[in-house]
Amino acid sequence: MVESWVGSMSRLLPRAIREGGHEFTFLTRDLHHYLRSAPEGTAHPLLGARNVITADTNDVEALLPEVERLHGALGFDGVITSCDYYLPTVARIAGRLGLPGPGPEAVENACRKDDTRRILAGAGLPGPRFAVHEEWADLTRAAREIGYPLVAKPVDLCAGMYVRRVDDEAQLGEVVRALADFPVNARGQVRTPAVLLEELLDGPEVSVETVSHAGTVHVVGVTDKSVGGAPAFIETGHMFPAALTAADTEAAEQTALTALKALGLTDGVVAHTEIKLTSAGPRVVEVNPRPAGNRITELVRHVTGIDLAAAFVDVALGRAPDLRRTGTGLKSAAVGFLVPDRTGTLEALDGAGLRHADGVLEMQLAEPGKAVKAAGSNNEYLGHVMTGDADGLGARDRAEGLLAGLRAGLVIR
């Protein structure tokens, strides 16, 4: 395993590896990055690795021969990561060692929003009007051609960071300046200064969860998404399965399958493809060649019994994933996130009276004393609540009702 997110996947993936009867070696350039994220008094699950090795995971050319030497001693059967910033590195390592996985070029193209746009457009897949530039004069000209309002994005960040709705040239300047002030990502990698401008799409957003093995892409299902925090695009909640008509579900699934095929992501990939169901038909927002974040994998597991973290481990080992659906007793599951709208210190957030409410599957809340930042991406949540519904598609309403109760007791000073 080469690096990891520090959120839920940093726990789900080690668990899936262990429950599958496997062991792993963890490569990281900064172990303290993970130790800091573990609850006080507990060991981080990543420390369950058989070996923890420090290596400069940001220097791919130096890392490849180092991993080859480790392979000679330890005999790896697969290579994996949950962190978007290291997916191309993992694909390069797998290719170098002759291990299972998608092609490095396919992964790199999926991880670059501008390359994804070009490839999907070249494959004839309908999408928003878009342009990619670095210079201000080129950006303003392209923005006028696309037309305001539009969306401005960095080409190489994730979690919604710096993705903004832009209504005029002044707002475009604010986004461009903010990106210029963020030249290195959170993992110390130098960023590409290009800015992607896209036509603002209408309609609800969903994601299609898929598992690819041996040239076949298996659709697990479609998840819905609620978004807030304008002009940012912050994910405020999800429900699986999405409450869609059969026609919209089929359209979303077929669009995701076409996109994955165009990018060459048909083997060794668990993917999370985000799609807007616009008035003109489905349009791809982005393709993520890794399992969904924000607890979506757990929503899927609660409803279908399918463990996408375990499937991720299986396909990384070149093995057929177990995608059998089992009776879980739930027809829908949803998660809602507590999104702060102001900066300060968390004084009070009490969910004790809600933890045992009907249908609650999980509740995780920040502790008083936490420094709070007004949310600009999916990185500033103060907690989440997950609910299930055994009778139908009522899980989202339950989650949103509980969130309203949590907000009523939220105090930030």
Side-chain angles (χ1 to χ4, degrees):
M1 187 187 301
V2 181
E3 303 291 0
S4 170
W5 286 126
V6 296
S8 62
M9 196 53 70
S10 72
R11 291 154 176 78
L12 294 174
L13 202 51
R15 184 216 72 204
I17 291 171
R18 183 180 66 254
E19 290 181 356
H22 315 300
E23 295 180 313
F24 70 102
T25 290
F26 185 52
L27 268 65
T28 177
R29 63 192 295 267
D30 180 12
L31 183 59
H32 290 285
H33 179 77
Y34 305 95
L35 299 181
R36 287 191 296 268
S37 74
E40 188 171 349
T42 66
H44 197 288
L46 290 168
L47 294 182
R50 181 178 180 180
N51 309 287
V52 177
I53 296 176
T54 300
D56 189 351
T57 52
N58 286 350
D59 186 345
V60 180
E61 298 309 319
L63 184 64
L64 288 172
E66 175 65 15
V67 171
E68 271 191 317
R69 287 191 289 272
L70 291 172
H71 182 47
L74 300 175
F76 303 125
D77 299 299
V79 56
I80 201 168
T81 186
S82 66
C83 182
D84 298 54
Y85 298 134
Y86 295 95
L87 290 166
T89 299
V90 159
R92 288 277 304 276
I93 292 172
R96 180 75 164 253
L97 302 184
L99 297 175
E105 185 177 1
V107 175
E108 289 169 4
N109 288 336
C111 289
R112 279 284 299 250
K113 295 178 175 65
D114 52 340
D115 289 337
T116 298
R117 280 276 171 253
R118 294 187 185 105
I119 289 169
L120 297 187
L125 195 65
R129 299 190 303 277
F130 72 95
V132 187
H133 296 291
E134 295 184 18
E135 300 300 326
W136 175 246
D138 295 327
L139 286 167
T140 55
R141 182 180 65 255
R144 290 192 296 269
E145 291 172 354
I146 293 172
Y148 294 103
L150 50 78
V151 179
K153 301 178 178 181
V155 300
D156 55 0
L157 291 176
C158 49
M161 292 185 68
Y162 295 98
V163 178
R164 297 291 184 270
R165 171 180 167 137
V166 172
D167 291 315
D168 52 39
E169 192 168 297
Q171 291 180 5
L172 178 60
E174 292 173 5
V175 175
V176 170
R177 286 190 293 273
L179 283 172
D181 290 338
F182 194 72
V184 178
N185 69 24
R187 295 308 182 93
Q189 299 168 334
V190 176
R191 291 192 48 253
T192 300
V195 178
L196 174 62
L197 304 180
E198 295 180 352
E199 171 190 8
L200 180 66
L201 298 173
D202 64 4
E205 187 171 336
V206 300
S207 61
V208 181
E209 321 309 335
T210 56
V211 180
S212 302
H213 174 67
T216 299
V217 182
H218 304 271
V219 176
V220 174
V222 181
T223 311
D224 77 8
K225 177 189 296 187
S226 56
V227 178
F233 296 84
I234 300 171
E235 296 177 3
T236 59
H238 303 277
M239 185 171 76
F240 182 92
L244 300 175
T245 64
D248 280 343
T249 299
E250 174 71 11
E253 291 176 355
Q254 290 303 315
T255 299
L257 291 172
T258 302
L260 291 166
K261 182 177 179 181
L263 287 164
L265 295 171
T266 59
D267 189 24
V269 181
V270 176
H272 170 72
T273 303
E274 298 174 345
I275 292 172
K276 276 271 195 177
L277 297 174
T278 78
S279 55
R283 302 289 186 265
V284 173
V285 176
E286 61 186 42
V287 179
N288 300 284
R290 44 82 179 157
N294 269 356
R295 307 299 286 170
I296 291 174
T297 58
E298 290 302 278
L299 300 183
V300 171
R301 185 179 63 82
H302 279 299
V303 174
T304 69
I306 295 172
D307 187 339
L308 288 173
F312 193 30
V313 172
D314 285 335
V315 298
L317 292 167
R319 301 180 179 185
D322 183 359
L323 302 179
R324 292 172 296 176
R325 295 173 185 264
T326 59
T328 66
L330 293 180
K331 291 186 177 178
S332 67
V335 63
F337 299 100
L338 193 59
V339 181
D341 59 3
R342 58 192 180 277
T343 297
T345 300
L346 180 62
E347 184 171 293
L349 176 56
D350 184 10
L354 303 175
R355 288 185 184 275
H356 302 293
D358 185 37
V360 172
L361 302 173
E362 290 182 7
M363 184 177 289
Q364 181 178 322
L365 303 174
E367 295 291 335
K370 175 183 173 64
V372 178
K373 178 182 176 183
S377 70
N378 299 335
N379 293 324
E380 287 86 30
Y381 299 137
L382 290 179
H384 72 265
V385 58
M386 184 184 295
T387 60
D389 182 10
D391 298 320
L393 299 177
R396 173 182 286 284
D397 288 343
R398 289 182 178 178
E400 290 180 349
L402 290 168
L403 279 176
L406 289 172
R407 292 190 194 100
L410 173 62
V411 180
I412 299 174
R413 300 294 188 191

